[in-house]
Amino acid sequence: MNKPAGGISAQKRELLALLLKKEGIRQVEEDRIPPRAPGPHAPVSFSQQPLWFLDQLEPGSALYNITNALRLNGPLDPAALRRTLAEIAARHEAFRTSFAVVDGEPVQVIADAVEVELPLDDLSGWAEPERGEELRRRVAASVRAPFDLGRAPLLHARLFRVTGTEHVLALSMHHIVSDGWSMGIFARELGELYQAFSAGLPSPLPPVPLQYGDFAAWQRRRLSGTTLDDLLAYWRRQMEGAPALLELPLDRPRPPIQRFHGESQRFILSHRVMEGVRELNRREGTTLFMALLAVWSVLLARLSGQDHVVVGSPIANRTRKELEGSFGFFVNTLVLHADLSGDPTFREALRRVRETTLGGYAHQELPFERLVEEIAPERSLSHTPVFQVMFVVQNAPMKPVQLSGLALSPVDADSGMSAFDISLFVEERSNGIHAVFRYNPDLFDAATLRRMGAQFQVLAEAAVADPDLRLSDLPVLAPAERAQLLVEWNRTERALDPRPVHEHVAERARLAPDAPAVVLRGEAMSYAELDRRADALARTLRERGAGPESRVAILLERSPEMVVAVLAVLRAGAAYVPLDPGYPAERVAYVLEDSGAALLVSADGVTDTATPLPPAP
């Protein structure tokens, strides 16, 4: 397998090169990024600037905490672990970075050294199950602790002693100095340094070739002039026709101010789907990312009723070799606009997604924040701008953390936050494609996301089995759900009493005479009164000739009296002809003549239709 380079695989780099050649885009020379000018400050990158701004608006939020926790079984050397964290901070400026305002602009302040604390919480004296509950509570509190961006290091580490040979290490970093790729670097160096230090050896790691501050300074110089103009022009074209909001059906109204609460739901795509996706990719020259993004976009389109879907997706943005070992917030967000109009086949939809994705790779340097400024969407506090749904394939080079002499296993370290309405994370493993929905519980119930996972599975199976099906023909309901909707919930048959309604009312009047039968504007008529009045009016109608095969017109406003009149006509054995008092007199006369009604019940009583009509009430 080719080693990922700069955030994308060799295969993707070849596809990207073909696209660049096809579009006639001049490739930038692979000149190395130079060190920045000496000094205590470095400019913030384009990605860091909005995170700093958001922190100024809402300090103390854990929304951008990157969290992790590990259970360590075996003889741990806490001093070696503490020295390991300190060495990582000494190697990477990102860990020694804080933020300040200079001349009205935020800057990175890089300290020569910082003290990395590793406090120890000893829970070994607690008895189970209280110890387990307390451990979960303290780990959650540790990783959710807010950061002060004005103080370095933007790293929280805490060690929990569970027993003499079992510990839990809780870690959190602020996203402004880290990203997913950086966490892979951290895991690798954590293992290599701990192994050396626990054995009494010096650091085996070479110096870091490029620091994040160097990249930020270079990025500020690079993204200007014609380079910036070309990038902006491309993304403006890509966003044409894109909706400002994805109208997914919500379980409850969207709050006026987004609170970024977060919960998770997991599901697994079967091995059969994984093999089908691989085969489809071989035939179409696509990747796992493209195929699953196409499925995700189609599902979102089906659920929202929109044929244009916008999904955000992070990209490593490490397009140069020297950035591979650098720690920091390099990741950028691509805005991928899927045009699914015209009810294409899934194969055509996949090809559209492929072109959009390759174009995004070729123009990934434009910071998402700069794109937001350019297209200037109408801002709302209730949802994120440009897109509200994220898609992530987790394929950054991340080897499991290995600490010498210790057995490691993950511990839940949920931040309890979600930056978007829904984020779908997928990862290919040996037994299938593992997926996690991260969603906002202010908008969705857990059952909704479980159902969405089942729909994704059904849609993916059908799409890879027959990619020439049109999108409208692709199923999204599992067989059990389809049977529930079409069969189970439509079993409305029941045995009905053959007696007419006026007999039911009479029976109800005998059984519960005082129960309310008709209610209007807070006033009620009981069943006993309704029965008595209907019976009296029925006798009058029969005396005037009403009976089987005859018709009686009713000209009354919607009222208890109208209910009395309808029941009375039925008791007399006749059929009633409804008339709206709002009808013109000519319309009333026509209906009376056409229906052959001999009697008319109105606000003035019962009259023969041969007599002049009374005025409408």
Side-chain angles (χ1 to χ4, degrees), residues 421-436:
D421 293 357
I422 304 176
S423 296
L424 173 57
F425 299 86
V426 297
E427 181 180 2
E428 186 176 9
R429 300 182 188 175
S430 59
N431 65 333
I433 297 172
H434 290 239
V436 179

Side-chain angles (χ1 to χ4, degrees), residues 32 75 78 128 160 275-276 279 325 351 354 360 381 388 403 410 414 436 455 486 514 569 580 582 600 602 613-614:
R32 296 188 65 83
E128 291 289 0
F160 300 91
E275 288 302 315
E279 178 58 31
R351 289 170 180 172
R354 175 184 182 273
L381 295 176
Q388 296 79 45
L403 299 183
D414 193 344
V436 179
Q455 291 169 339
L486 298 182
D514 297 326
V569 172
D580 190 332
L600 174 71
S602 70
L613 290 174

Side-chain angles (χ1 to χ4, degrees), residues 468-479:
D468 292 314
L469 283 175
R470 295 203 172 272
L471 300 187
S472 59
D473 294 328
L474 287 171
V476 295
L477 298 180

Side-chain angles (χ1 to χ4, degrees), residues 552-568:
V552 178
I554 298 176
L555 183 69
L556 291 170
E557 295 282 359
R558 186 182 180 90
S559 61
E561 287 72 24
M562 184 181 74
V563 179
V564 170
V566 170
L567 289 174

Side-chain angles (χ1 to χ4, degrees), residues 181-497:
W181 187 292
S182 297
M183 293 303 293
I185 297 172
F186 181 87
R188 184 179 67 251
E189 294 192 356
L190 185 71
E192 293 181 11
L193 290 170
Y194 177 82
Q195 181 177 0
F197 294 158
S198 61
L201 300 175
S203 168
L205 300 179
V208 178
L210 188 76
Q211 298 290 349
Y212 187 76
D214 302 329
F215 165 79
W218 171 83
Q219 184 193 50
R220 288 282 176 178
R221 293 192 304 271
R222 172 169 169 73
L223 294 183
S224 61
T226 57
T227 299
L228 179 60
D229 293 341
D230 291 345
L231 288 170
L232 288 173
Y234 170 82
W235 286 108
R236 278 196 300 268
R237 292 193 301 271
Q238 286 299 110
M239 295 306 296
E240 291 176 0
L245 180 65
L246 185 62
E247 299 283 359
L248 291 175
L250 308 178
D251 291 317
R252 55 191 61 86
R254 187 180 291 276
I257 299 178
Q258 194 173 10
R259 296 188 294 176
F260 301 106
H261 294 162
E263 294 181 2
S264 298
Q265 281 291 330
R266 300 177 181 273
F267 66 101
I268 299 178
L269 295 177
S270 67
H271 187 75
R272 182 174 66 254
V273 170
M274 184 169 67
E275 288 302 315
V277 168
R278 287 174 176 170
E279 178 58 31
L280 181 62
N281 287 335
R282 281 192 290 268
R283 294 196 304 266
E284 297 298 319
T286 51
T287 63
L288 176 71
F289 177 91
M290 296 172 188
L292 295 184
L293 174 60
V295 175
W296 183 221
S297 299
V298 171
L299 179 58
L300 294 173
R302 292 283 290 273
L303 294 176
S304 67
Q306 297 167 281
D307 54 15
H308 286 257
V309 173
V310 179
V311 174
S313 185
I315 189 166
N317 200 30
R318 297 175 186 248
T319 56
R320 293 166 180 266
K321 184 69 175 177
E322 63 265 37
L323 297 180
E324 290 187 10
S326 298
F327 199 101
F329 184 25
F330 293 90
V331 68
N332 192 19
T333 301
L334 294 184
V335 181
L336 302 174
H337 174 195
D339 178 359
L340 304 175
S341 58
D343 194 21
T345 65
F346 182 78
R347 191 186 305 276
E348 172 59 26
L350 176 58
R351 289 170 180 172
R352 294 182 190 181
V353 169
R354 175 184 182 273
E355 292 301 310
T356 298
T357 303
L358 288 175
Y361 291 157
H363 299 85
Q364 65 177 282
E365 282 190 278
L366 183 72
F368 170 71
E369 296 72 22
R370 188 65 183 83
L371 173 62
V372 175
E373 293 176 10
E374 178 66 18
I375 63 178
E378 183 177 348
R379 294 301 190 112
S380 171
L381 295 176
S382 66
H383 61 80
T384 53
V386 184
F387 67 89
Q388 296 79 45
V389 172
M390 178 73 82
F391 177 69
V392 185
V393 172
Q394 295 179 310
N395 58 3
M398 174 80 77
K399 292 184 178 179
V401 180
Q402 295 181 345
L403 299 183
S404 179
L406 297 171
L408 275 63
S409 58
V411 174
D412 182 33
D414 193 344
S415 67
M417 308 292 284
S418 175
F420 303 99
D421 293 357
I422 304 176
S423 296
L424 173 57
F425 299 86
V426 297
E427 181 180 2
E428 186 176 9
R429 300 182 188 175
S430 59
N431 65 333
I433 297 172
H434 290 239
V436 179
F437 282 125
R438 188 68 180 171
Y439 67 97
N440 190 331
D442 291 342
L443 306 178
F444 301 100
D445 293 332
T448 298
L449 274 298
R450 287 195 294 270
R451 185 168 60 252
M452 194 177 294
Q455 291 169 339
F456 191 100
Q457 168 89 11
V458 171
L459 183 60
E461 285 184 355
V464 299
D466 188 357
D468 292 314
L469 283 175
R470 295 203 172 272
L471 300 187
S472 59
D473 294 328
L474 287 171
V476 295
L477 298 180
E481 188 177 8
R482 184 179 180 84
Q484 185 182 53
L485 289 173
L486 298 182
V487 179
E488 181 181 341
W489 288 353
N490 278 301
R491 288 176 179 161
T492 57
E493 69 275 7
R494 58 177 298 183
L496 296 178
D497 193 321

